[in-house]
Amino acid sequence: MTVYDPDADRFEDLEDSGDNETIICYSYSRKTGEPIEQLAIDDVSRALTNNNQFIWLGLYDPSIETVQEVKDAFDLHELALEDALADHQRPKVESYGHDMIFVVVRTAKLEDNQIRYGTTAIFMGKNFIISIRRGASNSYTPVREHYHRRPERLRLGPIFVLHAILDFIVDNYLPITDRLGNYLREQERNIFSSEFSRDTLRSLYELKSQLVHMRAVILPVQDVCNFFINHKKNELISAFPAAAQPYFRDVNDHLLRSLDAVNGLNEMLSVAMNTYTTMVTMGQNDVVRKLAAWAGIAAVPTAMAGIYGMNFEFMPELTWRYGYFAVIGLILAICMFLYYKFRKAGWL
């Protein structure tokens, strides 16, 4: 667990976490969108001077040395880089003049009915786009390979790559909500059981907690999409084409589907928890009624035996030969009558 320390937010002070470091860097033609060549970080400076191409750099779990090299090669803003490497960063989008756009979104991945979260930070300039992926998420390699086969889309430049990454992240939200919905339906047979189970209640509470957390992760991404849909001219780099706006509206539509799914599951889960507690309460009331009925039946012989147990000389039927049998018969008759009434009322 990360403990907040204002001084530890500097990327120079972060732990060197590049055990699984992955670096993929290509240059692409602005005319055709086709990949030109695969680059090393040392070759980036040369490629950036060519306005006929742009660079797509993808990083996963980078080391501090790699981060420093990327910062120097692309002249990234220090504050943006701090946010890119900070844990649990809230999704947001920031404009650094006409030179760079910085976007942070949270990624999600479902493992054993538990949602794991990660962070993807994206730097977009006139001739480059950089994605830094940390934590739980699916690899963006399928996105790159898909547009290598269909390069005509990449002619829009870095802004289309940004759309493709956001679209991939958002599209991975919906399968998670679908699987959580299936898990909730599996719990229904336990919900409609009158027997109280701490495990069932704990499962419902944990699912509720995950949905609340996931909604907090998804909701700010809507602001990111709205930024690109309703942006002001001075907020974006000059290379942003108007033709890219419909793509971000499409991402926003997918995002709304995920939000609707989360909100729907949240309401269903609230109803399920209320139903479960009501069913348990009804089951407890049935037990209480049964106990009360048997207590009422048992009170009859107890009361009569208590009366005849008193040491008085003059009491009814003490000297009658069949008095004992008469009292026992009366007790049985009253008990049978009460049992019949309670049985008819559904208490037994």
Side-chain angles (χ1 to χ4, degrees):
M1 180 178 294
T2 303
V3 179
Y4 176 72
D5 181 358
D7 296 329
D9 277 345
R10 301 287 177 180
F11 71 89
E12 294 91 345
D13 298 329
L14 293 172
E15 293 183 2
D16 190 354
S17 60
D19 295 336
N20 300 314
E21 181 180 65
T22 302
I23 303 173
I24 302 176
C25 184
Y26 279 87
S27 61
Y28 297 85
S29 171
R30 285 187 176 274
K31 293 182 179 180
T32 64
E34 294 180 351
I36 298 174
E37 61 177 331
Q38 188 168 5
L39 301 173
I41 296 179
D42 296 337
D43 301 327
V44 164
S45 299
R46 170 181 55 82
L48 286 175
T49 59
N50 188 347
N51 292 326
N52 294 322
Q53 63 185 29
F54 70 92
I55 297 172
W56 179 1
L57 170 63
L59 301 174
Y60 173 67
D61 194 24
S63 64
I64 299 303
E65 291 78 8
T66 300
V67 171
Q68 186 64 55
E69 291 179 14
V70 172
K71 176 181 180 297
D72 295 339
F74 291 90
D75 192 24
L76 301 180
H77 198 284
E78 182 180 6
L79 294 177
L81 202 56
E82 291 174 11
D83 291 341
L85 299 178
D87 291 334
H88 311 297
Q89 178 64 51
R90 187 179 187 273
K92 65 177 182 176
V93 57
E94 292 182 350
S95 175
Y96 288 83
H98 289 280
D99 296 324
M100 191 183 74
I101 295 293
F102 173 61
V103 178
V104 178
V105 290
R106 299 295 302 279
T107 56
K109 193 173 184 180
L110 189 63
E111 299 175 353
D112 299 328
N113 292 325
Q114 292 289 328
I115 306 176
R116 311 295 180 187
Y117 295 98
T119 304
T120 292
I122 303 172
F123 298 86
M124 185 183 69
K126 294 180 179 179
N127 294 329
F128 68 86
I129 183 164
I130 304 168
S131 64
I132 301 178
R133 185 167 60 95
R134 304 175 70 241
S137 71
N138 295 312
S139 173
Y140 302 149
T141 299
V143 179
R144 189 188 295 267
E145 292 176 348
H146 174 76
Y147 290 108
H148 279 189
R149 295 190 297 268
R150 299 180 179 179
E152 64 276 3
R153 297 283 185 89
L154 295 179
R155 289 183 296 178
L156 290 175
I159 191 65
F160 185 80
V161 178
L162 174 59
H163 150 265
I165 295 175
L166 286 178
D167 190 50
F168 183 76
I169 293 172
V170 170
D171 284 347
N172 278 293
Y173 291 150
L174 197 57
I176 295 177
T177 60
D178 290 341
R179 290 183 60 183
L180 291 179
N182 293 334
Y183 177 73
L184 176 58
R185 284 186 284 274
E186 291 174 0
Q187 297 298 314
E188 287 182 352
R189 58 177 175 270
N190 296 326
I191 292 173
F192 290 99
S193 173
S194 60
E195 296 181 0
F196 175 74
S197 172
R198 291 183 181 272
D199 293 336
T200 300
L201 190 60
R202 185 183 297 109
S203 298
L204 295 176
Y205 176 80
E206 289 176 352
L207 183 57
K208 177 79 171 179
S209 177
Q210 290 187 57
L211 288 173
V212 171
H213 193 182
M214 189 171 184
R215 186 178 187 276
V217 167
I218 295 178
L219 191 59
V221 183
Q222 199 169 14
D223 296 333
V224 175
C225 294
N226 289 333
F227 176 87
F228 292 100
I229 297 172
N230 306 311
H231 65 279
K232 298 178 181 179
K233 290 184 177 180
N234 61 348
E235 289 179 330
L236 277 176
I237 60 178
S238 57
F240 182 86
Q245 284 185 332
Y247 293 101
F248 287 95
R249 285 197 292 267
D250 182 67
V251 174
N252 191 55
D253 290 341
H254 295 180
L255 184 67
L256 291 177
R257 287 178 56 195
S258 298
L259 274 175
D260 290 342
V262 170
N263 291 335
L265 278 176
N266 210 3
E267 293 180 7
M268 288 177 58
L269 189 57
S270 297
V271 173
M273 294 181 72
N274 292 335
T275 302
Y276 180 67
T277 53
T278 301
M279 293 292 292
V280 171
T281 302
M282 291 176 60
Q284 292 175 343
N285 290 339
D286 290 339
V287 173
V288 171
R289 284 198 298 267
K290 289 180 180 180
L291 291 175
W294 284 115
I297 294 173
V300 174
T302 302
M304 296 188 72
I307 292 174
Y308 279 91
M310 294 184 295
N311 295 320
F312 289 100
E313 183 177 354
F314 300 101
M315 292 185 68
E317 285 80 33
L318 284 181
T319 59
W320 184 30
R321 181 176 180 181
Y322 301 103
Y324 172 79
F325 301 101
V327 171
I328 294 296
L330 180 62
I331 290 174
L332 291 175
I334 296 175
C335 288
M336 293 296 293
F337 176 76
L338 291 176
Y339 179 83
Y340 169 75
K341 286 294 185 181
F342 285 134
R343 184 83 174 183
K344 187 177 182 181
W347 283 40
L348 290 175

